[in-house]
Amino acid sequence: MAQLDFFDYISGITIGSIGAELATELEVPHKPLIALAIYGLASVVLNLLTHKFPRTRKYINGTPTILMNEGKLYRKNFKKAKLDLSEFMLLCREQGYFDLDEIQTAVFEHNGKLSVLPKATHRPATPKDLK
């Protein structure tokens, strides 16, 4: 589930919700069935569009956002990514970077993960180093 992008995650939840409505609707079951067919078809069409036309992918899935480069934090991009500094530091620590001076560039990917390009002199901390 962690490998799903945001669009697929939301589509799965919505189709599941419509399916639950279909399972519990006893009097007029054709309405949830029509909704399930339409939403499922729209989801498949959008998925095919993103694979066939890569330019549409940035509108549906989003684009990576540079949060830090050359030691400078981009506050505007933090707001765009809906992150604050403490969340950013948490993501850095999860990658093994406990000091921002060790990071050359940090990019927040569209799937919610942080990609870090370290400065040439740093290697990420391992659990063995923390003992």
Side-chain angles (χ1 to χ4, degrees), residues 89-120:
M89 291 298 297
L90 172 82
L91 292 171
C92 289
R93 287 190 300 273
E94 286 176 348
Q95 295 282 330
Y97 299 95
F98 292 85
D99 185 8
L100 291 182
D101 291 332
E102 301 169 344
I103 298 174
Q104 172 76 29
T105 304
V107 179
F108 190 67
E109 304 292 347
H110 69 275
N111 63 358
K113 298 197 182 217
L114 186 70
S115 296
V116 175
L117 176 66
K119 290 188 177 175

Side-chain angles (χ1 to χ4, degrees), residues 50 53-63:
T50 59
F53 304 105
R55 288 185 184 168
T56 61
R57 194 172 299 146
K58 71 178 181 180
Y59 298 111
I60 294 173
N61 292 339
T63 57

Side-chain angles (χ1 to χ4, degrees), residues 33-71:
L33 185 62
I34 292 170
L36 184 66
I38 290 172
Y39 196 86
L41 182 65
S43 182
V44 168
V45 166
L46 286 173
N47 201 355
L48 289 174
L49 277 174
T50 59
H51 288 294
K52 186 92 170 156
F53 304 105
R55 288 185 184 168
T56 61
R57 194 172 299 146
K58 71 178 181 180
Y59 298 111
I60 294 173
N61 292 339
T63 57
T65 304
I66 297 175
L67 298 177
M68 180 179 164
N69 192 27
E70 299 286 333

Side-chain angles (χ1 to χ4, degrees), residues 8-32:
D8 290 337
Y9 179 71
I10 295 299
S11 293
I13 289 174
T14 305
I15 289 173
S17 177
I18 294 171
E21 178 69 24
L22 179 63
T24 59
E25 180 61 49
L26 300 175
E27 295 184 19
V28 192
H30 69 278
K31 288 182 180 180

